[in-house]
Amino acid sequence: MELWFTENHSDSVRFSIRVDEHLYTAETDYQRIDVFQSLEFGKLLALDGYVMITEKDEFIYHDMIVHVPMAVKKDVKNVLVIGAGDGGTIRELCRYNTIEHIDLVEIDEKVVEVCKEYFPSMTVSLDDKRVDIHYADGLRFVRRKINEYDLIIVDSTDPFGPGEGLFTKEFYGNCYNALTENGVLVNQHESPFYINDAKAMCAAHERISSVFPLHRVYQAHIPTYASGHWLFGFASKGLDPLKDLDEDYWNNLGIRTKYYNTELHKGCFALPNYVIDMIKNGLEGEY
Ligand code: AG3
């Protein structure tokens, strides 16, 4: 008998990964959590049926969400990470000695517990003494913060279910206030390819651009996310991800990465024409 995990990438497209074992399942107050052992991708974490991470391709996502802003903003001391209970983003951040403190705000305690058990290579730094874990709603947590963080990373699920509030204008406004003078916000920015993802992407971008004077989008290829083409948002009060990139600084840190490098940094902000159009004009005429 063959067992397959299947995620609907659109109403008429399905993506399946062959699995040998369903290692864990639970329904929490927030979502359904599943862990599978797959043949091609190693262990896989799904929330509400959507792939969040697999052991084989998580390095791409975590490199891109962390090292891109860290190569631009050199004096990051205080970081806020929202979502990310799997620990991957924290693992990458903890490689920087300059970082003094990280607040991790995860709504679902169970995600951390499950990942500690099944994904030890991702949760290695959750016990770092610089990390404080808060089990709370990110939207509420950030409301109380003014001028506190040099970097905010929004490592959320999609804009429905528990992640919904993390795509609102109110949330981005609160992030703006929570950031220091030259602070940077980076978020997972959905995919431009299938219509529902593209709608979420355009809506997120429009809201971010109504709050932040500088907003750019960058891309990576993540095989297990819908269409494989995934975007990230970089927003700031003025710091520019290309003009303010300090390649020598980052390369001299000696951080070994499997995906990110400073050449790729310069390339990942170059977007396909259809994505540029979508970001500029929304979806009119596209579909
Ligand atoms: N964060 C979720 C990215 C979005 C996935 N969406 C999807 N597959 N439809 C991943 C958490 C990694 N720390």
Side-chain angles (χ1 to χ4, degrees), residues 7-9 45 47 49-53 58 61-62 65 83-89 122 154-158 160 167 188-190 197 222 224-226 230 232:
E7 180 184 318
N8 287 359
H9 279 184
L45 170 75
L47 296 180
Y50 291 95
V51 176
M52 290 295 121
I53 38 130
E58 58 89 3
Y61 180 94
H62 293 122
I65 209 163
D86 56 70
T89 295
M122 300 223 313
V154 187
D155 182 1
S156 66
T157 51
D158 301 311
F160 40 82
F167 287 84
Q188 80 82 0
H189 214 288
E190 299 292 303
D197 299 329
I222 304 181
T224 56
Y225 287 176
W230 210 258
F232 297 86

Side-chain angles (χ1 to χ4, degrees), residues 202-275:
C202 288
H205 191 76
E206 205 208 301
R207 291 171 196 151
I208 290 178
S209 58
S210 70
V211 171
F212 284 86
L214 190 142
H215 41 89
R216 301 272 183 276
V217 170
Y218 61 100
Q219 61 182 2
H221 173 239
I222 304 181
T224 56
Y225 287 176
S227 85
H229 185 191
W230 210 258
L231 303 177
F232 297 86
F234 179 109
S236 77
K237 301 182 182 183
L239 216 60
D240 186 293
L242 293 174
K243 291 195 201 109
D244 295 308
L245 163 68
D246 191 336
E247 291 182 69
D248 290 342
Y249 159 80
W250 195 84
N251 287 313
N252 286 331
L253 291 174
I255 294 177
R256 275 180 60 82
T257 41
K258 197 166 161 190
Y259 192 82
Y260 177 83
N261 59 55
T262 50
E263 285 302 306
L264 188 133
H265 183 125
K266 290 182 278 181
C268 71
F269 286 89
L271 300 173
N273 285 340
Y274 85 97
V275 181

Side-chain angles (χ1 to χ4, degrees), residues 162-207:
E164 201 170 334
L166 306 177
F167 287 84
T168 58
K169 193 172 167 189
E170 185 214 337
F171 173 70
Y172 297 129
N174 291 332
C175 286
Y176 184 97
N177 296 333
L179 283 170
T180 51
E181 183 62 27
N182 240 341
V184 173
L185 169 79
V186 168
N187 72 331
Q188 80 82 0
H189 214 288
E190 299 292 303
S191 167
F193 198 74
Y194 295 119
I195 180 75
N196 287 335
D197 299 329
K199 277 185 186 160
M201 189 281 282
C202 288
H205 191 76
E206 205 208 301
R207 291 171 196 151

Side-chain angles (χ1 to χ4, degrees), residues 61-70 76 78-84 88-94 96 99 102-105 138 142 149-156 166 171-172 175 179 184-188 218 232-233 235:
Y61 180 94
H62 293 122
D63 270 16
M64 291 306 273
I65 209 163
V66 170
H67 301 304
V68 170
M70 288 302 292
V76 172
N78 213 6
V79 187
L80 171 62
V81 180
I82 296 180
T89 295
I90 302 295
R91 178 193 66 203
E92 293 308 309
L93 283 169
C94 284
Y96 292 85
I99 292 179
I102 303 169
D103 280 323
L104 166 60
V105 182
V142 79
Y149 299 104
D150 306 302
L151 172 63
I152 299 178
I153 296 182
V154 187
D155 182 1
S156 66
L166 306 177
F171 173 70
Y172 297 129
C175 286
L179 283 170
V184 173
L185 169 79
V186 168
N187 72 331
Q188 80 82 0
Y218 61 100
F232 297 86

